[in-house]
Amino acid sequence: MRTKPFTVLQPVPGQSPKPLFTVYAYSLDQARALVAAKVAGKTIVIAVRQDGAAR
């Protein structure tokens, strides 16, 4: 399974949303969790096996 880019947008009243940053995740749920941690300023640890697959 490959990661997909998810762009985080900031709503701007009266204009199109402004892109803030991009996260790469396997699913939308995982992307939401990564963004929530990033916005909250928490450290994110992702375990990776020797063959490169995430656990």
Side-chain angles (χ1 to χ4, degrees):
M1 184 186 274
R2 299 182 64 150
T3 60
K4 297 174 272 192
F6 294 90
T7 302
V8 179
L9 303 172
Q10 178 182 27
V12 179
Q15 299 179 17
S16 297
K18 177 176 95 172
L20 291 178
F21 57 90
T22 301
V23 295
Y24 292 84
Y26 291 108
S27 68
L28 181 58
D29 288 337
Q30 185 186 44
R32 285 181 176 148
L34 290 169
V35 170
K38 183 175 179 84
V39 170
K42 298 185 180 188
T43 302
I44 303 167
V45 177
I46 301 173
V48 178
R49 297 190 314 224
Q50 289 292 349
D51 62 4
R55 292 183 188 178

